[in-house]
Amino acid sequence: MLSWLGKIVYHGRWFVLLAAVLAVGAASFYGKDAIAALDSDIGHTSQSASQQAQTILDTRLSATRVDMVILFQSDTMHARDPLFQIYENAALQPLQGNPDIASIQTYSSTGNADFISRDGHESFATIRLVDQKDPHDVYDLVRTQVKSLMLRVSLGGPVPADRQFSAQTADDLKQMEFISFPIVALALVLVFDGLLAALLPLVIGGVAIIGALAGLRALTLVLTISAFAANIVSVLGLGLAIDYSLFIVTRFREELARSPQDTRGALQRTLKTAGRTVFFSGLTVSTCLVSLTFFPEITLRSLGVGAIAAVLVAMLAALTILPAILAVLGRRVNALALSRLFRRRKSQAQQNEAGAWYRLSQLVMRFPIPVMALTLALLIALGTPFTRVTFAAPDIHALPASQSARYVADRLTADFPQQSGSTQTIALLTPGDAFSNDNLAALHGYVQQIQALPHVTNVTSIVTLNPRLRLADYEYLYSHPQANPRLYAAAQALANGDATEIAVTVDGADNSGVAQQAVHALRALAPPAGFTAYVGGTTATQIDLFDTLRAHLLPAVLMIVLSTFVLLFLMTGSVVVPLKAIILNTLSLTATFGAVVFVFQEGHFARLLDFTSVGAIDPSQMMILFAIAFGLSMDYEVFLISRIKEQYDLTNDNRLAVASGLQRTGRLITSAALLLAIVLLATISSQIIFIKELGLGLALAVIMDATVVRALLVPATMRLLGRANWWPNVRAFGEREEPPAPTPSQPLAPEKEAALAATLRDRDPNDSAAATVTVGR
């Protein structure tokens, strides 16, 4: 199918390389600011009730919005002491009169005791920015100018958290590249037995990273893309580019060894075989990732589209730029071979039939049932921790404790009474002005019902600002604002036109059972006639996120399964092979999920991996892990099955095809898995916990798939199924029709048998399995 591409690339190799240099240069320039253009929101679902509540609060009631929190601490002074307040006000003085800051509130400006900690040695200030202002400019101003010699000052809140997430993501990406590139380079030298050949996957990997970041930058023009996509997308692009390059370069060197003077023919045969495999692999992984776009949640959707872009860039680079480089190098691709330095080299025959992978597959196929039983028991046992999984939405604790936004959030929760409970916000739309007497009366009755709900400790609204006032008092004061200007100003922060806010505090932490019961009770409570209520807050956001994931889970999984089945059927012409691959890959993923729960939820190896367990797993990470790991598993399935199918078409012997195919690809697949695992394990250096989760989970999935599944389960199941593996054995997509090999019931004349053996030797002159096959005997 791709033989024609090899011919075109060979003849236009210099043009392809020039175009690649220009394209990579432009992509590098365009994508250099990609991370700055990404969004750091977590758990965002645009159509959920909680998000609609947040949208109303941000656009209609922004006076209650808090963009930044500045925490002031002293070991000796009390926050109510005049000296403490003088130092606090002096630290905030550079912000006074700033046109980008709408308001600054402190204990001294409001007299509200909620700004003081339990022990009295801490206080905080809240900052609200002017609407439509880029918050990052003000963040830099606050970070550099708010200082104190007498108080400890820490900056937190949504805007600093957003900025610190982005900065941490960028730092982690550089760290991962710094760690993975040297190790991968060394491993490639050992795998390729040469320095020059080892450089090629790194070149394609660099192209993939540049292309992936440029793709993310372009996607931000039409979609909101999460900042966390940058790390996973870059790692995935790099890993797959190295894998694809490994298969292409290895096959090219094999073909060139058969015809040293025919570089063009070697390139065409490489793309016809390994290139076709890379093409189907790229499509398979991409279609698995399409499932993530089914979810409205921003992290899933953006990771899905970003990862698809990275996979396609890696695939296109491996099928165009790499062949052009190989066309230029020709036999020089083997330059600087280590074998020449150490004078060691095994014959191709030793690497084929007499190889360890060949012997392992024969051993497995001698005892297929015991091997299957033991392997499946191992996978199920490794997956048992997943039965204890607890899910929770990601929050500020995804940041490392060293970041000031995380520190401030922890201190507010632990040290300030009014910040320790869970607050549910209700965005209420009223029929007409919220301050009208009819609406105030209806709102008063609605608030009384809320106050009567279990676990509710406080309700803040325009009819509860002063507990000593009655409904008639509020009606009078709001119709005569001059009677109590301070109360009216506080009410205006909670109501604007036909929108008003109700804050409900319960005696339980965010996302606890008590908080979840409160959200369900508030949503079950019917608002007054003509009113529309949207319940939001941290707990409501988690509930909506889980509901969204459940609603879209089945279509996403069906997308993965059906697309994988169709693509593998088109590649192999078999119905059985895709079904078997789907079942085995699903079983292997149970072990991966179990490992993630064992490590990150239960906290094993926390000190070694440098993280603090939050006692739960983000469910969206499980979906991302499933989609990517399933795609990568199919990636290796494609590589192995394509070579087995190639041998089966030559010999019509299922057992010989499995053994020979595994011998030819076993070392290659293991090497590719090792290289990809190195890249993925570099994410453990990330300071963001769920990037660690994904990296370790994907690395374990790749290693498990390339060893246990490919080396044990695949040979065992293919031995048991025999010829049924290839039913109905229709011509695979992209393959030319070739005469089938004769069956034992159709013996050949000696001269025809010799001709067939010669043909097999021409296809693989060093393959003793092909050269010694006897058909019909």
Side-chain angles (χ1 to χ4, degrees), residues 295-334:
F295 298 91
E297 199 265 330
I298 181 175
T299 304
L300 287 171
R301 189 180 64 241
S302 57
L303 265 174
V305 295
I308 290 170
V311 171
L312 295 180
V313 169
M315 181 186 74
L316 291 175
L319 293 178
T320 55
I321 300 175
L322 181 58
I325 297 174
L326 293 175
V328 171
L329 291 176
R331 288 181 296 172
R332 292 188 296 274
V333 73
N334 296 314

Side-chain angles (χ1 to χ4, degrees), residues 378-393:
L378 173 65
L379 292 177
I380 293 172
L382 292 175
T384 52
F386 189 63
T387 60
R388 305 189 293 271
V389 68
T390 299
F391 292 120

Side-chain angles (χ1 to χ4, degrees), residues 235-471:
V235 166
L236 188 61
L238 173 62
L240 285 177
I242 291 174
D243 273 10
Y244 293 162
S245 302
L246 181 63
F247 285 99
I248 294 288
V249 173
T250 300
R251 190 59 183 252
F252 178 75
R253 296 173 80 187
E254 290 179 8
E255 296 295 340
L256 201 60
R258 296 167 186 158
S259 306
Q261 305 302 322
D262 186 14
T263 301
R264 189 188 78 174
L267 191 62
Q268 287 185 253
R269 291 191 297 274
T270 296
L271 290 185
K272 178 184 176 182
T273 52
R276 177 176 178 271
T277 302
V278 166
F279 176 74
F280 271 101
S281 171
L283 290 183
T284 303
V285 176
S286 297
T287 51
C288 287
L289 293 170
V290 167
S291 63
L292 296 178
T293 65
F294 285 27
F295 298 91
E297 199 265 330
I298 181 175
T299 304
L300 287 171
R301 189 180 64 241
S302 57
L303 265 174
V305 295
I308 290 170
V311 171
L312 295 180
V313 169
M315 181 186 74
L316 291 175
L319 293 178
T320 55
I321 300 175
L322 181 58
I325 297 174
L326 293 175
V328 171
L329 291 176
R331 288 181 296 172
R332 292 188 296 274
V333 73
N334 296 314
L336 304 176
L338 296 182
S339 58
R340 296 177 184 176
L341 299 176
F342 298 102
R343 300 188 181 282
R344 59 174 178 81
R345 188 171 183 83
K346 293 182 180 180
S347 68
Q348 189 73 20
Q350 286 179 307
Q351 295 177 21
N352 285 335
E353 185 173 348
W357 291 101
Y358 187 94
R359 293 193 298 271
L360 175 62
S361 63
Q362 291 288 11
L363 178 64
V364 170
M365 288 188 287
R366 281 185 62 190
F367 308 102
I369 294 178
V371 170
M372 274 194 64
L374 290 174
T375 306
L376 292 177
L378 173 65
L379 292 177
I380 293 172
L382 292 175
T384 52
F386 189 63
T387 60
R388 305 189 293 271
V389 68
T390 299
F391 292 120
D395 57 17
I396 190 65
H397 292 92
L399 269 178
S402 59
Q403 294 285 5
S404 67
R406 163 77 181 275
Y407 176 77
V408 170
D410 288 344
R411 296 276 55 81
L412 290 178
T413 300
D415 300 342
F416 291 80
Q418 293 301 321
Q419 305 294 325
S420 58
S422 176
T423 299
Q424 327 308 323
T425 55
I426 304 175
L428 201 64
L429 299 181
T430 62
D433 187 4
F435 287 110
S436 69
N437 288 348
D438 290 342
N439 285 334
L440 288 174
L443 181 62
H444 187 265
Y446 182 57
V447 167
Q448 286 183 321
Q449 295 180 64
I450 294 174
Q451 290 172 324
L453 293 175
H455 304 291
V456 172
T457 59
N458 184 62
V459 179
T460 302
S461 70
I462 58 175
V463 292
T464 56
L465 288 173
N466 188 331
R468 292 175 296 181
L469 297 180
R470 299 170 301 169
L471 173 61

Side-chain angles (χ1 to χ4, degrees), residues 169-190:
T169 299
D171 292 342
D172 289 346
L173 184 57
K174 294 175 183 177
Q175 179 76 2
M176 286 185 285
E177 292 171 355
F178 179 78
I179 292 173
S180 62
F181 260 88
I183 301 176
V184 168
L186 178 60
L188 283 170
V189 171
L190 297 176

Side-chain angles (χ1 to χ4, degrees), residues 601-647:
Q601 176 179 306
E602 300 179 353
H604 298 92
F605 310 111
R607 181 174 298 179
L608 176 65
L609 299 178
D610 189 26
F611 73 91
T612 301
S613 173
V614 296
I617 299 294
D618 175 13
S620 62
Q621 301 304 304
M622 290 289 100
M623 190 61 229
I624 294 169
L625 181 59
F626 180 80
I628 297 179
F630 202 93
L632 294 177
S633 298
M634 286 302 172
D635 181 44
Y636 296 126
E637 178 80 11
V638 166
F639 289 132
L640 175 59
I641 293 299
S642 64
R643 205 65 186 260
I644 293 176
K645 179 68 163 57
E646 188 178 328
Q647 294 301 310

Side-chain angles (χ1 to χ4, degrees), residues 65-265:
R65 187 184 70 234
V66 174
D67 294 310
M68 298 187 194
V69 177
I70 304 177
L71 179 66
F72 298 95
Q73 297 171 296
S74 172
D75 295 329
T76 57
M77 291 182 287
H78 195 285
R80 287 187 171 87
D81 293 344
L83 194 58
F84 186 107
Q85 295 177 37
I86 289 173
Y87 290 136
E88 181 180 294
N89 291 332
L92 295 171
Q93 183 58 39
L95 306 182
Q96 299 296 336
N98 189 305
D100 298 328
I101 296 178
S103 66
I104 301 175
Q105 291 190 324
T106 64
Y107 168 72
S108 60
S109 68
T110 64
N112 189 340
D114 292 347
F115 284 90
I116 306 296
S117 64
R118 288 187 181 90
D119 65 3
H121 291 283
E122 297 172 279
S123 177
F124 67 89
T126 62
I127 298 176
R128 180 172 65 86
L129 304 181
V130 173
D131 295 339
Q132 309 302 323
K133 175 64 183 175
D134 183 1
H136 297 301
D137 294 338
V138 184
Y139 168 79
D140 291 330
L141 174 72
V142 175
R143 182 175 57 86
T144 56
Q145 295 194 14
V146 178
K147 299 180 182 297
S148 175
L149 296 176
M150 306 304 297
L151 302 175
R152 294 193 301 277
V153 181
S154 303
L155 183 59
V159 171
D162 180 271
R163 184 67 175 269
Q164 290 171 17
F165 267 117
S166 297
Q168 189 68 62
T169 299
D171 292 342
D172 289 346
L173 184 57
K174 294 175 183 177
Q175 179 76 2
M176 286 185 285
E177 292 171 355
F178 179 78
I179 292 173
S180 62
F181 260 88
I183 301 176
V184 168
L186 178 60
L188 283 170
V189 171
L190 297 176
V191 169
F192 277 117
D193 185 36
L195 298 178
L196 185 58
L199 288 175
L200 299 181
L202 291 177
V203 171
I204 302 303
V207 170
I209 290 178
I210 293 171
L213 291 177
L216 285 178
R217 174 73 186 279
L219 288 170
T220 60
L221 300 177
V222 293
L223 295 171
T224 300
I225 303 295
S226 170
F228 312 112
N231 297 69
I232 300 302
V233 166
S234 297
V235 166
L236 188 61
L238 173 62
L240 285 177
I242 291 174
D243 273 10
Y244 293 162
S245 302
L246 181 63
F247 285 99
I248 294 288
V249 173
T250 300
R251 190 59 183 252
F252 178 75
R253 296 173 80 187
E254 290 179 8
E255 296 295 340
L256 201 60
R258 296 167 186 158
S259 306
Q261 305 302 322
D262 186 14
T263 301
R264 189 188 78 174

